[in-house]
Amino acid sequence: MFGMTEVTDDTIAERLYGGSYKTIKQYVDILANRGVEWGLIGPREVDRLWERHILNSAALESLIPQGSRVADVGSGAGLPGTPLAVLRPDLEMTLVEPMLRRSNFLTEVVDELGLGDRVTIVRDRAEDAGISVDVVVSRAVAKLATLVGWTAGLFGQTGCLLALKGQSAEEEVAKARKELSKRHLSAEVLLVRADPSSEVTRAVRVRRSESA
């Protein structure tokens, strides 16, 4: 498996991003250098940026409707929002990040990648951001029950939350049942991947219950 990853992840990304590959490669280079210097990416992650960060983020792409307004909550180094924005020029992306250092990093990244016309940085907590979107995305921010409490007010009646999760996805859904029920929400675990050749990842999709 490791041999395949070393040979193919960059190739998979090049095929996936097509004409935008140069931009996503520039972003990976920023993460590998300034992202590590700023403490946003662990040094051990550098060799796994394509697989664990770019392709993992891009796996949500198939779940986001065309022309959606999307908010990446707790964006950090820009994941998953930046890979999605580069891959999908039709999206109107807002990167929500309360920490000054991280929001400064995001501002630099968006400017350098030339994404300023469709990517906005909001330095605030999700629950105080005062925005309304179609889709909220999130990665490695908080347990699902907490995340639902922060983001339920951001997406409308027909919108959703897409949270990238690991092996604990089903357990988190079970533990979040009380919070979900209180807010008339339902959750399901979906297995998604950016490309048929890339690794599968778990995404929890939270939506308004039909009975709500």
Side-chain angles (χ1 to χ4, degrees):
M1 184 178 77
F2 288 107
M4 181 193 74
T5 299
E6 290 172 5
V7 172
T8 64
D9 280 338
D10 191 11
T11 306
I12 291 171
E14 189 169 4
R15 179 173 66 212
L16 179 67
Y17 279 87
S20 298
Y21 175 74
K22 183 178 179 181
T23 303
I24 199 65
K25 175 67 166 61
Q26 184 182 355
Y27 176 56
V28 168
D29 290 342
I30 291 172
L31 292 179
N33 293 281
R34 209 177 317 152
V36 174
E37 292 168 7
W38 287 41
L40 303 181
I41 296 290
R44 295 181 180 179
E45 295 297 302
V46 172
D47 292 337
R48 302 181 286 187
L49 285 172
W50 287 111
E51 174 198 346
R52 295 192 59 173
H53 298 281
I54 303 304
L55 295 179
N56 177 261
S57 297
L60 292 177
E61 183 269 335
S62 63
L63 304 176
I64 302 176
Q66 191 77 12
S68 293
R69 295 167 300 155
V70 182
D72 175 11
V73 167
S75 189
L79 300 159
T82 304
L84 288 168
V86 175
L87 183 61
R88 292 277 302 274
D90 61 289
L91 301 179
E92 182 183 319
M93 181 70 66
T94 302
L95 307 180
V96 182
E97 173 53 55
M99 291 185 62
L100 177 61
R101 178 169 51 92
R102 294 176 180 178
S103 62
N104 285 344
F105 176 83
L106 294 174
T107 299
E108 289 188 10
V109 167
V110 168
D111 181 57
E112 291 175 32
L113 299 184
L115 300 176
D117 60 330
R118 51 194 174 85
V119 179
T120 304
I121 314 298
V122 172
R123 188 193 161 208
D124 213 335
R125 299 187 305 170
E127 59 269 42
D128 299 325
I131 59 174
S132 177
V133 296
D134 305 303
V135 180
V136 174
V137 297
S138 185
R139 180 177 185 265
V141 173
K143 295 294 185 184
L144 185 64
T146 302
L147 189 60
V148 165
W150 289 347
T151 63
L154 302 185
F155 59 91
Q157 200 63 31
T158 59
C160 69
L161 162 67
L162 298 173
L164 282 166
K165 293 291 181 180
Q167 299 292 331
S168 65
E170 288 83 1
E171 181 183 351
E172 286 195 40
V173 168
K175 289 183 176 180
R177 287 215 169 94
K178 184 176 180 180
E179 184 70 23
L180 291 165
S181 177
K182 182 177 75 174
R183 297 178 180 275
H184 304 290
L185 298 168
S186 62
E188 58 184 330
V189 178
L190 305 172
L191 301 181
V192 292
R193 61 180 86 215
D195 179 273
S197 302
S198 61
E199 292 194 6
V200 70
T201 189
R202 285 172 168 77
V204 178
R205 179 166 60 189
V206 176
R207 298 187 284 190
R208 307 290 173 196
S209 301
E210 291 183 5
S211 58

